[in-house]
Amino acid sequence: MTAAATGYRPGSTLPIWAEVRRQASRRRTQLALGFMALLPVIVLVAFEFGGDGDDDNGGGEFSSLVELATSGGLNFTLFCLFVSASFLLVVVVALFFGDTVASEASWGSLRYLLAVPVPRARLLGVKLVVALGYSLLALLTLAGTAMLLGTLRYGWAPLGSTIAAEIPAGEGTLRLLAILGYLAVVLLAVGGLAFLLSVLTDAALGAVGGAVLLWIVSSILDQITALGVIRDFLPTHFSTAWLGLLSTPPQTDDIVKGAISAIAYATLFWSLAFWRFTRKDVTS
Amino acid sequence: MTRRRVIAGAVVVALVAGLVTVAVLPESRPFTATDERLTVASGPSGTEPVELDTRFYLPKERSGKVPAVLLAHGFGGSKESVRTDAEDLAGLGYAVLTWTARGFGRSGGEIHLNSPDYEVRDAQRLLDWLAARPEVRTDAAGDPRVGVVGGSYGGALALLLAGQDQRVDAIVPMITWNDLARSLVPESTGAEPTDGVFKKGWAGVFFGSGTGGRGGLGALAGGQTGGQTGGEDEEGEADGGAGDTTDSLPTGGPPPGVSTGDPSCGRFARDVCAAYLAMATTGRPSAESVALLRRSSPQSVLPRIKAPTLLVQGALDTLFPLAEADANARGIAATGTPVRVAWFTGGHDGGSGPQTDQDRVKFLLAQWLGHHVKGEGEAPAGSFTWSRVAGFNALDRGLVTNAYSVGAYPGMDGSGRTDVTVAGPAQPIANPPAGNPAALSSLPGLGGGLSDLLSGVAGDLAGQHARFVSEPLAEAVEVGGSPTVQIRAASPTGEATLFVKLYDVDTAGGVTLSGGLVAPVRLTGLPADIAQAQPVTVTLPGIVRRIEAGNRLAVVVATSDQGFTTPAEPTVYTVAVGPAGAGPVGAAPVGLPTLTGDPIATPAAIWRYVLIGLIAAILLGLAAVLIVLRVRNRRRVDAVDPATAETPLVVTGLRKAYGDGFVAVERVDFRVERGQVVGLLGPNGAGKTTTLRVLMGLTMPTAGEVRVFGYQLVPGSPVLSRLGALVEGPGFLPHLTGEQNLRAYWAATGRPWADARFDEALEIAGLGDSIHRRTNNYSHGMRQRLAIAQAMLGLPELLVLDEPTDGLDPPQIAEMRRVLKRYATDGRAVLVSSHLLAEVEQTCTHAVVVNKGRIVASGPVDDIVGDSPSVQLDVSDQAVATEVLQRLGVRSVTAEGTGGLVVDMNGTPRTEVVAELVRAGVGVDRVVPRRRLEDAFLALVGDNSRGSGDR
């Protein structure tokens, strides 16, 4: 006599693949991923038709990255990452993490999953893994498309950097992968925040918007240098540290600090999410 | 809820209060600072009084007497500009004496440029003063234990003082000169300053800050804190900070007690002023001027310095380049005095440098003073440390440098040498009249640093420079020291003033003049024809730079530079590189001293271990949580109650109170046995849905327990898999079709597809082709049927349905009743909640009536419902009918509305009652048998038309 119905094992409920399909069929997933592939196209078209604007207003490393963007596939990819890292990727990651539980709650399907029963920790775990997967996929889609388009259009050239010598294409690819990896780690903090909000609220929009909002607030606070050492504790403080990977030799000190910050925040938020979700009354 | 708000509020208040407290509380300073105006007897005779503005820092925590540090400021600064450093040193346990040098700030006297008779003697009197302080440790009577620290002007003072007064125990001169004449009138082929090229840019900045009175002083001292990093590691950085030179025009009044005197000389002593004016006018110093400058140079006193010396020099310094420290180091070390040299990425152009460099210099300083003055710590190693620019800091846009270390100081020739050949034809270049327009290589006094270093401030001017370029370098070269190159020049006047620069040309063609450093040369006795010109060796200023593989070197020979005085006459020179007679295209090796060492790990390396530790801790924590949960789960699953193992559902003493204090369920007990269809009946808000939520594991009961097949039910209990449910309406993924939704749901159970009994469920749903439409287009009834089908997927042994007929039309309701009755066969059971009496009556075998969170009736429907003794009649004549009925011997008759009667029959058959009424001529419109359940229900809720279950 076993407790469960035949064929039921808690560990095999809500298989990862089932959750992947649940999310894949959603329009917002398709749109988000589609836009990741579309953005490099838009940027490319802009470069092609934009002409030679010489509004060089001395925007520091930004203007230099713009100037270098058309020098080769690697630099084009770098530019696409640079322009999306501060906001677009944040929104996309917040979407994947913030929407996942809250939308099930708003549809009412969450209670049926819990009645299957999918153990609550497993439900969150699977949702988390799949959101991670989709976020990574979005990042890779962006980089992959940009790399492909940029290389086709501008050729396979060394990675130009504004502050150090050009990096040979082979090593440049590795640097780009490292930048992607660091971006992924930094975005974990957004993911953690969005995920926590997703568990706390039934409104998917609230979770996604809330996470993005708090991220922006953190960015604003980070601009206020008078805050001094407090800024080091802002989740966005090290979000641009990946620029250090463009120098020779790569500067990794801030990257390490940024990784510590992001991992700590993500762990904290995710722990809170699990703690809350495994205890709360699901009333939606 | 309220409590939670209070807690949240308290946390916020505590945080704000904490921040405010931290912000408001004064810093606790571990030292005291005393300002005092000391009058010391100085001058050549040793009797001329001069008033010095001093500040004495004394550590608060001290055991016995403490060693002292004499901290001197830079040119144009004051005791204020070294305040941070003084406080740091006081924090390290030194008594620190700072003072404003004579001729500056509030001190009296005139500027004699560190003259041995004036400034140096002033400092000797300060040593006397220190020795007399009871708090200061002494080596002998009148001999304090003291180190002298200073940057630039203060650094030279430290050297000169140590050469003149043997009481000094250690010195740390930073970014300072060896020979002031050579620094201001350099010549890079080795000629004397009298034949040098006047560095008018820097000289002007200096003279301006000395004549500018307090306005200039304030601006330049302010430039220190407003500089690149705001750090004040290099004492007396004021003269190299990023001050705005326009502000250094005299704006304030004269310092108190100082007469304005000659407006062209300001506070400079007459001889110094005269020397400057002559030099600046002609661009050529006289022998007397050179002698005066050399009187102010440590060069002459080096052999007499016995105090261990730590020399810190900056690589971004067009005023006092690395070679100055090199000369000092060699001169002092020649007599066996311990000397240590360090280079950092900063200086009069580069400011304090990046944080890593500041930290390194601070450490070296503390270590040096600690051993040689305080007598603590091991003897510092003799190793030479330097740093090289690695790029921008990604966050604050500052420079990032990597530091390196090598066992011994190699000097300006480096630890190795690489020759790179530059080549090019002889080129004619024009000297612009009056030196205008002129090439720009650095911005003296502006502390350009970054832009200087990275791409040069500006380029060379067309027609005014010759360029000799190398092939791309096969491999990267780590240059550290003074490069050399041989050039030749021809001039119709026999003389030429040229500027030799070494550019790093990257693969994209971008050029960088490292540090903005140029080598001025003045050549005389030149032939008019380049073919006869003899090569001269030019020693370029020392640089620290990595030249990447693939880059080229370019030697540029220019005729003008804004930083220097050049001949006013327009001339055309011809320049070439390499030995004479080598054909039209000359080639010459550029000797690059190389410097390799071991990278110094930055303190930031510790963060890597922190990161590794953090990840390890997270993984361990995760593993621990998983293990604990697994153990706890196993224990819970095993707890089966054998008495109820065959009973689908036993609810005992269930109570649920929500966080806001609302009690949704007071106490509910009931059972559902196999084969039963149990109706949970109650008005809206009676607690039905809350009970079902607990049954689904969505909410935790406050008290009581629910057992399903003997297993206690808590959220996530595996036994929930034997339960199918529809609670609070359907929940579907709107973007999927009905069929996809069912499949997605079953996929989530992880059970085999064959167990789903999919076709049976579809049949129950009865949606036809609509099953292939997206559910967001479904009507309410369609969703309801799909939800029931979903609950029945896999034919669970216990089916829990909340208001299943909600939204169904009558035929579907009838069909649903049949389905549910049929479902409960084969030992399965169904629990249906409803607020509709008729539905429960017609569908269920058993009923549980709840109201206000409590059970009011339960049992088989037949028992409860049965025929009750009462009947409701609608008659044409109420009065007659009442009379007839009473005659028949019924128990009671109650009038209800117009024509309505409720009759307790007391066993009289209904047929007889109707027959009697008709016989009596009363028309019977309607006869409705009343049932017990209805009676009970109405007794509970019927009188209250307001939300019956609302509490």
Side-chain angles (χ1 to χ4, degrees):
Chain A
M1 187 71 194
T2 64
T6 36
Y8 172 86
R9 283 192 306 113
S12 59
T13 55
L14 193 61
I16 300 251
W17 193 240
E19 170 65 12
V20 168
R21 282 209 304 257
R22 267 176 108 88
Q23 300 296 333
S25 60
R26 300 187 54 189
R27 190 70 76 207
R28 66 118 171 105
T29 311
Q30 296 158 0
L31 281 177
L33 290 178
F35 190 71
M36 289 287 106
L38 186 65
L39 181 78
V41 180
I42 296 174
V43 171
L44 187 79
V45 170
F47 274 125
E48 289 303 300
F49 292 100
D52 298 327
D54 55 346
D55 53 347
D56 185 7
N57 47 9
E61 86 293 340
F62 182 80
S63 66
S64 357
L65 281 179
V66 172
E67 284 155 21
L68 286 170
T70 53
S71 67
L74 289 171
N75 271 101
F76 183 75
T77 313
L78 185 66
F79 179 75
C80 286
L81 285 177
F82 181 80
V83 292
S84 22
S86 56
F87 190 69
L88 181 66
L89 284 175
V90 172
V91 172
V92 168
V93 169
L95 181 70
F96 285 131
F97 280 92
D99 190 53
T100 182
V101 178
S103 64
E104 297 272 6
S106 67
W107 295 329
S109 48
L110 180 62
R111 58 178 177 270
Y112 294 103
L113 286 178
L114 293 180
V116 158
V118 182
R120 291 188 179 194
R122 179 172 172 85
L123 181 97
L124 271 203
V126 170
K127 292 260 177 205
L128 186 60
V129 167
V130 172
L132 275 172
Y134 273 111
S135 300
L136 198 60
L137 183 64
L139 199 57
L140 291 178
T141 306
L142 178 70
T145 320
M147 181 77 104
L148 187 72
L149 279 176
T151 307
L152 286 178
R153 176 63 188 83
Y154 302 116
W156 184 245
L159 181 63
S161 157
T162 55
I163 44 177
E166 283 189 343
I167 303 162
E171 205 202 325
T173 313
L174 286 181
R175 295 279 183 95
L176 210 55
L177 285 176
I179 289 172
L180 276 179
Y182 179 68
L183 276 181
V185 171
V186 165
L187 290 170
L188 286 183
V190 190
L193 185 58
F195 199 67
L196 175 61
L197 292 178
S198 188
V199 164
L200 295 182
T201 175
D202 293 350
L205 192 67
V208 178
V212 173
L213 190 78
L214 287 174
W215 194 256
I216 291 173
V217 169
S218 169
S219 301
I220 291 172
L221 289 180
D222 196 32
Q223 303 289 319
I224 303 169
T225 46
L227 287 176
V229 79
I230 296 174
R231 291 161 71 225
D232 287 349
F233 294 93
L234 292 172
T236 52
H237 183 63
F238 295 101
S239 59
T240 51
W242 57 270
L243 288 167
L245 287 171
L246 296 178
S247 69
T248 305
Q251 304 157 16
T252 52
D253 292 346
D254 283 332
I255 288 191
V256 170
K257 287 185 200 164
I260 291 172
S261 164
I263 289 174
Y265 270 112
T267 309
L268 172 71
F269 290 140
W270 285 335
S271 305
L272 284 176
F274 273 82
W275 188 83
R276 180 78 192 111
F277 191 68
T278 47
R279 278 160 185 77
K280 79 174 218 171
D281 287 342
V282 176
T283 52
S284 55
Chain B
M1 243 352 160
T2 326
R3 211 188 75 205
R4 202 172 287 174
R5 261 184 218 150
V6 167
I7 292 172
V11 168
V12 169
V13 168
L15 273 177
V16 170
L19 280 175
V20 168
T21 312
V22 168
V24 167
L25 272 185
E27 292 175 70
S28 67
R29 290 143 57 101
F31 53 83
T32 56
T34 318
D35 283 316
E36 191 172 348
R37 299 183 67 82
L38 296 177
T39 304
V40 298
S42 182
S45 61
T47 54
E48 298 171 27
V50 65
E51 202 179 40
L52 296 178
D53 185 17
T54 69
R55 183 174 293 162
F56 187 52
Y57 299 79
L58 206 53
K60 276 182 190 157
E61 301 278 324
R62 56 178 192 274
S63 51
K65 299 186 171 191
V66 290
V69 170
L70 202 57
L71 182 56
H73 64 81
F75 201 82
S78 71
K79 63 177 186 181
E80 271 305 320
S81 45
V82 291
R83 186 168 53 87
T84 316
D85 299 293
E87 290 174 359
D88 284 352
L89 286 168
L92 289 174
Y94 296 95
V96 184
L97 180 62
T98 66
W99 78 106
T100 304
R102 64 160 63 213
F104 294 104
R106 295 174 178 278
S107 288
E110 295 175 321
I111 302 166
H112 292 266
L113 282 186
N114 283 340
S115 162
D117 290 336
Y118 295 94
E119 280 88 351
V120 181
R121 190 151 293 163
D122 293 348
Q124 287 183 286
R125 298 289 83 82
L126 293 177
L127 291 183
D128 298 342
W129 185 85
L130 276 176
R133 298 291 304 194
E135 303 90 349
V136 173
R137 197 195 297 176
T138 50
D139 293 324
D143 179 3
R145 175 65 66 93
V146 65
V148 185
V149 178
S152 193
Y153 192 59
L157 181 91
L159 286 161
L160 288 160
L161 179 61
Q164 188 161 320
D165 196 320
Q166 300 303 315
R167 290 178 292 173
V168 175
D169 295 293
I171 53 172
V172 185
M174 305 187 192
I175 55 168
T176 192
W177 66 85
N178 169 254
D179 179 352
L180 191 55
R182 187 178 58 219
S183 295
L184 292 178
V185 199
E187 212 290 326
S188 297
T189 58
E192 280 295 303
T194 45
D195 290 323
V197 186
F198 182 52
K199 209 184 262 181
K200 67 174 180 186
W202 270 118
V205 168
F206 259 78
F207 194 69
S209 65
T211 53
R214 292 179 65 202
L217 182 144
L220 282 168
Q224 181 181 17
T225 44
Q228 276 192 325
T229 54
E232 289 164 331
D233 202 52
E234 284 64 58
E235 288 82 355
E237 253 293 300
D239 46 354
D244 189 342
T245 45
T246 56
D247 282 348
S248 64
L249 294 168
T251 53
V258 177
S259 67
T260 42
D262 184 351
S264 64
C265 288
R267 301 183 70 181
F268 278 102
R270 203 158 299 273
D271 56 341
V272 175
C273 180
Y276 172 79
L277 293 177
M279 194 158 61
T281 311
T282 61
R284 302 285 290 268
S286 62
E288 294 75 40
S289 298
V290 171
L292 184 141
L293 292 174
R294 287 201 164 148
R295 189 192 65 194
S296 300
S297 298
Q299 196 186 36
S300 53
V301 303
L302 294 181
R304 297 207 299 272
I305 294 178
K306 297 295 170 227
T309 306
L310 170 65
L311 287 157
V312 179
Q313 201 79 355
L316 303 182
D317 199 327
T318 53
L319 180 60
F320 304 128
L322 296 174
E324 295 298 311
D326 185 61
N328 282 334
R330 280 185 282 114
I332 299 169
T335 61
T337 304
V339 174
R340 194 176 188 192
V341 182
W343 293 347
F344 72 104
T345 305
H348 284 88
D349 290 303
S352 322
Q355 191 62 46
T356 47
D357 269 10
Q358 295 181 29
D359 292 344
R360 176 165 57 93
V361 171
K362 262 183 194 155
F363 171 77
L364 292 174
L365 170 71
Q367 190 191 29
W368 198 258
L369 293 179
H371 181 74
H372 293 295
V373 178
K374 204 188 261 182
E376 285 176 1
E378 291 187 14
S383 63
F384 165 64
T385 60
W386 75 97
S387 68
R388 201 185 63 215
V389 174
F392 277 125
N393 185 305
L395 295 183
D396 61 17
R397 311 284 179 255
L399 286 175
V400 168
T401 55
N402 291 337
Y404 302 87
S405 151
V406 71
Y409 175 60
M412 299 310 292
D413 297 329
S415 52
R417 183 186 160 100
T418 302
D419 284 345
V420 176
T421 303
V422 295
Q427 295 157 47
I429 51 175
N431 179 43
N436 191 33
L440 192 60
S441 58
S442 62
L443 294 168
L446 289 184
L450 204 69
S451 53
D452 273 357
L453 175 86
L454 292 170
S455 52
V457 176
D460 296 295
L461 298 172
Q464 292 186 18
H465 73 279
R467 199 174 148 91
F468 307 92
V469 187
S470 76
E471 292 300 307
L473 269 61
E475 54 187 28
V477 183
E478 315 259 0
V479 184
S482 294
T484 55
V485 65
Q486 283 196 329
I487 65 163
R488 289 182 296 133
S491 165
T493 61
E495 290 196 5
T497 299
L498 300 170
F499 301 93
V500 184
K501 320 174 197 185
L502 183 68
Y503 283 102
D504 179 0
V505 186
D506 66 28
T507 49
V511 296
T512 307
L513 179 61
S514 200
L517 290 157
V518 304
V521 292
R522 183 189 296 277
L523 300 175
T524 51
L526 297 177
D529 179 9
I530 188 67
Q532 278 135 38
Q534 290 305 307
V536 290
T537 299
V538 178
T539 305
L540 291 140
I543 55 171
V544 180
R545 182 174 185 83
R546 177 184 164 95
I547 300 172
E548 299 292 339
N551 285 11
R552 296 165 189 264
L553 281 186
V555 169
V556 165
V557 183
T559 55
S560 62
D561 193 287
Q562 290 193 3
F564 294 84
T565 304
T566 50
E569 292 299 312
T571 324
V572 175
Y573 313 124
T574 310
V575 293
V577 291
V585 176
V590 178
L592 296 174
T594 58
L595 198 51
T596 49
D598 303 319
I600 301 173
T602 62
I606 193 163
W607 292 109
R608 287 173 207 189
Y609 298 103
V610 173
L611 178 61
I612 293 168
L614 177 71
I615 292 173
I618 289 171
L619 291 178
L620 278 178
L622 194 62
V625 168
L626 286 177
I627 289 169
V628 167
L629 285 184
R630 182 147 297 191
V631 168
R632 198 189 285 175
N633 270 348
R634 190 162 298 162
R635 206 174 290 160
R636 198 162 64 189
V637 167
D638 287 342
V640 62
D641 174 19
T644 55
E646 279 304 308
T647 311
L649 180 64
V650 180
V651 178
T652 319
L654 186 70
R655 175 186 168 87
K656 175 68 190 177
Y658 284 107
D660 55 2
F662 176 70
V663 181
V665 176
E666 283 284 347
R667 183 186 171 87
V668 164
D669 307 77
F670 65 92
R671 294 165 75 97
V672 177
E673 300 287 348
R674 289 185 188 270
Q676 290 181 349
V677 179
V678 177
L680 191 60
L681 181 65
N684 290 328
K688 303 188 299 290
T689 301
T690 301
T691 308
L692 297 190
R693 271 199 205 134
V694 175
L695 282 188
M696 279 176 77
L698 298 178
T699 56
M700 332 262 170
T702 311
E705 63 168 21
V706 177
R707 285 191 178 268
V708 175
F709 296 105
Y711 293 92
Q712 189 179 357
L713 191 144
V714 290
S717 297
V719 76
L720 274 168
S721 61
R722 295 162 75 177
L723 187 149
L726 161 63
V727 172
E728 286 188 286
F732 293 115
L733 280 59
H735 53 280
L736 294 185
T737 68
E739 185 187 1
Q740 285 169 338
N741 257 304
L742 294 188
R743 286 178 184 273
Y745 172 78
W746 192 257
T749 66
R751 293 164 63 185
W753 177 244
D755 290 355
R757 316 290 280 270
F758 195 64
D759 293 334
E760 290 172 49
L762 275 191
E763 199 180 321
I764 289 161
L767 287 169
D769 280 346
S770 293
I771 197 79
H772 299 302
R773 283 169 50 204
R774 288 152 55 111
T775 51
N776 57 357
N777 298 324
Y778 277 19
S779 70
H780 188 58
M782 288 163 81
R783 285 175 199 234
Q784 189 74 10
R785 278 179 286 157
L786 190 66
I788 293 169
Q790 176 178 291
M792 287 184 180
L793 273 182
L795 302 182
E797 290 166 81
L798 175 62
L799 192 61
V800 177
L801 301 178
D802 187 15
E803 310 279 1
T805 55
D806 184 27
L808 301 192
D809 55 24
Q812 288 165 343
I813 292 175
E815 170 64 18
M816 192 53 61
R817 284 185 196 134
R818 278 193 292 281
V819 166
L820 293 184
K821 280 184 170 154
R822 198 166 60 233
Y823 193 86
T825 55
D826 302 341
R828 289 194 288 261
V830 180
L831 177 65
V832 178
S833 91
S834 180
H835 62 283
L836 297 175
L837 179 67
E839 185 177 306
V840 170
E841 257 189 69
Q842 292 171 47
T843 314
C844 302
T845 60
H846 292 68
V848 177
V849 185
V850 286
N851 191 41
K852 301 188 179 181
R854 290 179 182 278
I855 302 240
V856 291
S858 74
V861 170
D862 288 342
D863 283 6
I864 309 178
V865 175
D867 272 351
S868 91
S870 61
V871 159
Q872 185 176 357
L873 296 171
D874 278 8
V875 293
S876 56
D877 187 337
Q878 233 175 13
V880 177
T882 308
E883 198 181 312
V884 172
L885 289 169
Q886 276 168 352
R887 232 181 15 239
L888 275 173
V890 298
R891 192 167 292 152
S892 68
V893 180
T894 319
E896 203 180 68
T898 52
L901 289 173
V902 175
V903 187
D904 190 336
M905 302 290 281
N906 198 19
T908 317
R910 282 193 290 265
T911 48
E912 195 182 322
V913 170
V914 174
E916 278 300 321
L917 284 172
V918 171
R919 224 174 281 146
V922 177
V924 178
D925 204 26
R926 205 159 65 109
V927 181
V928 183
R930 292 275 296 236
R931 301 173 187 215
R932 278 197 200 118
L933 189 52
E934 192 168 16
D935 284 341
F937 196 68
L938 288 179
L940 287 165
V941 300
D943 300 337
N944 191 353
S945 60
R946 185 179 63 83
S948 40
D950 296 350
R951 281 166 281 165

